[in-house]
Amino acid sequence: MMFKDIKAAIISLIRAEVAVNDSWVYDYEPARPEGYPAISVTAKSVPARFADTERNRREYTFRIRCYQERQTTGTQAGLVSQKEAERILTDLVDSMISVFDNYANYNLLNQVPNLVFVQPIPADWGYVNAPDIDMRIADINLVAVVLQ
């Protein structure tokens, strides 16, 4: 149940410490978030290594995807400009990394048994372009190291 427990703790921390609407923090990747900026937390991988004669070291990796819808041309009601979307997403990613650097190890260690530490690794930035939506996205890989 490690993926489930760690994911729940990550979502709880994001909702408590990151300035984003709680209902726009998802435990799955939504096709279209209900509001912006939005965040999703999904499982990515779990490589394992031998730690010692009694334990294994597992690195549970989660993808934390940040979304910001933006306008592509002209002025579209309710959408922010490309420049503003970039600023919003950059600020959000900086905030997320700070939260994980400053609070995650303390908060998550108290919630997840055998968790040794977590490490946010800034990953990829990209775009979602479809006929009915244009979003700027950023992924953060969060590695949670557990001894089992």
Side-chain angles (χ1 to χ4, degrees):
M1 299 283 268
M2 273 297 156
F3 265 123
K4 182 180 175 182
D5 294 343
I6 298 170
K7 183 187 218 181
I10 292 168
I11 289 171
S12 175
L13 180 63
I14 290 170
R15 286 181 172 152
E17 300 294 337
V18 177
V20 66
N21 186 315
D22 286 356
S23 61
W24 300 339
V25 179
Y26 301 89
D27 63 353
Y28 62 93
E29 279 195 34
R32 185 178 188 128
E34 293 181 23
Y36 298 92
I39 299 169
S40 66
V41 179
T42 57
K44 186 173 178 184
S45 66
V46 62
R49 290 188 291 204
F50 176 76
D52 57 36
T53 57
E54 295 181 14
R55 300 172 299 181
N56 289 314
R57 175 187 165 123
R58 289 195 169 72
E59 296 179 358
Y60 292 85
T61 304
F62 294 84
R63 174 182 296 132
I64 301 172
R65 177 162 284 172
C66 305
Y67 308 80
Q68 178 58 55
E69 191 173 32
R70 64 197 196 131
Q71 60 189 5
T72 53
T73 59
T75 303
Q76 296 162 291
L79 297 181
V80 299
S81 69
Q82 293 177 2
K83 182 178 182 178
E84 183 65 6
E86 190 72 21
R87 185 200 61 75
I88 291 168
L89 203 58
T90 301
D91 290 349
L92 179 61
V93 170
D94 282 344
S95 171
M96 297 274 292
I97 291 170
S98 291
V99 164
F100 288 115
D101 282 345
N102 296 321
Y103 299 104
N105 286 313
Y106 174 75
N107 288 349
L108 298 181
L109 287 173
N110 290 330
Q111 295 180 46
V112 180
N114 302 319
L115 181 66
V116 179
F117 67 90
V118 297
Q119 178 180 20
I121 303 169
D124 298 320
W125 291 71
Y127 301 90
V128 173
N129 301 99
D132 63 335
I133 193 166
D134 186 57
M135 285 188 291
R136 183 74 161 124
I137 60 171
D139 291 340
I140 299 170
N141 291 328
L142 184 71
V143 179
V145 177
V146 176
L147 290 179
Q148 295 179 315

